[in-house]
Amino acid sequence: TQLLEQSPQFLSIQEGENLTVYCNSSSVFSSLQWYRQEPGEGPVLLVTVVTGGEVKKLKRLTFQFGDARKDSSLHITAAQPGDTGLYLCAGGKGGGSNYKLTFGKGTLLTVNP
Amino acid sequence: DVKVTQSSRYLVKRTGEKVFLECVQDMDHENMFWYRQDPGLGLRLIYFSYDVKMKEKGDIPEGYSVSREKKERFSLILESASTNQTSMYLCASSPHKAPDTQYFGPGTRLTVL
């Protein structure tokens, strides 16, 4: 069972365009993370959101956590070729030794010059 | 900056061989994780450890074992490699106080022939 659904799976846009990718679940998470992974490298953490309705901005990237803490979105303004990569969301549940992070399958973004 | 290193970027082994993948982190993190990443399947948790000499099975532990003799080092062992274990293997670490903030290594691309 895939707990986190990411959409779209693939996205190819031109430099300067805006885009939004989504991460949806029927489960409630205590926190949600967004990572970016470049080809041949490990994922790099972009942001963690923990409060329902929270919005965080990181330069041209805006992250939102749904009010019910079941979904999240990532909006990129004026995309650049350097934004190209696999964007992964991950939801955290449990505590202590029972804590688990579940990853979505990712959105592969290509920004063409 | 947190640094997670993995012993090899690329590895080619034959069916039946014993394979060791090493991971070292330099930030004194208590938690360490091993994932595999496959196209269409995303990141799947193999094993994790919340302390030295402690290990817990993840979602897909079959065919793997792990060792955590020192806090900074977490090893993944394939006792008898099989072709279906060809994959990208990613190690991650996180502190107890922020278990959802995982830092990943660059990955090891393992091919089993």
Side-chain angles (χ1 to χ4, degrees):
Chain A
T1 303
Q2 180 63 34
L3 291 180
L4 279 168
E5 298 284 345
Q6 290 191 245
S7 61
Q9 190 176 353
F10 302 97
L11 187 57
S12 180
I13 62 171
Q14 294 300 121
E15 182 175 2
E17 291 183 12
N18 301 332
L19 67 113
T20 303
V21 298
Y22 300 92
C23 176
N24 295 302
S25 175
S26 57
S27 297
V28 176
F29 294 102
S30 56
S31 66
L32 197 133
Q33 293 75 41
W34 283 93
Y35 291 81
R36 181 171 67 215
Q37 184 178 20
E38 296 185 12
E41 301 294 330
V44 175
L45 181 66
L46 297 174
V47 77
T48 297
V49 286
V50 296
T51 305
E54 183 176 2
V55 177
K56 280 192 174 179
K57 291 194 173 185
L58 186 67
K59 297 183 181 178
R60 293 177 294 101
L61 278 61
T62 301
F63 305 86
Q64 185 161 6
F65 201 13
D67 290 342
R69 291 186 290 133
K70 293 182 179 180
D71 51 83
S72 181
S73 63
L74 159 59
H75 181 79
I76 302 179
T77 304
Q80 299 176 0
D83 295 327
T84 292
L86 179 68
Y87 288 81
L88 295 162
C89 68
K93 281 180 136 177
S97 60
N98 293 320
Y99 184 85
K100 277 190 70 175
L101 204 57
T102 300
F103 284 83
K105 294 181 182 179
T107 292
L108 185 59
L109 172 65
T110 303
V111 182
N112 303 298
Chain B
D1 278 353
V2 176
K3 190 154 187 182
V4 180
T5 57
Q6 296 184 227
S7 50
S8 306
R9 295 298 299 269
Y10 300 94
L11 209 53
V12 180
K13 295 291 181 181
R14 297 209 172 270
T15 301
E17 281 194 77
K18 190 168 186 176
V19 182
F20 292 88
L21 302 182
E22 303 285 343
C23 174
V24 178
Q25 50 92 6
D26 66 358
M27 282 301 291
D28 203 36
H29 284 171
E30 293 84 2
N31 310 324
M32 295 190 75
F33 308 84
W34 274 106
Y35 296 88
R36 62 178 284 178
Q37 185 176 29
D38 301 286
L41 296 176
L43 272 77
R44 293 179 292 167
L45 182 63
I46 304 171
Y47 266 97
F48 60 99
S49 169
Y50 283 103
D51 204 346
V52 176
K53 296 191 184 294
M54 177 272 187
K55 59 187 177 184
E56 292 283 344
K57 292 180 180 179
D59 299 320
I60 51 163
E62 296 78 19
Y64 304 93
S65 62
V66 290
S67 173
R68 185 119 182 250
E69 295 296 318
K70 293 184 178 182
K71 189 176 186 180
E72 67 270 20
R73 187 179 298 268
F74 193 34
S75 304
L76 181 69
I77 303 153
L78 286 66
E79 293 289 341
S80 177
S82 62
T83 54
N84 63 12
Q85 291 179 309
T86 291
S87 187
M88 169 71 102
Y89 289 87
L90 292 161
C91 174
S93 72
S94 68
H96 263 166
K97 61 184 178 184
D100 50 1
T101 307
Q102 294 191 9
Y103 297 88
F104 283 83
T108 295
R109 173 75 63 184
L110 172 67
T111 301
V112 182
L113 301 175

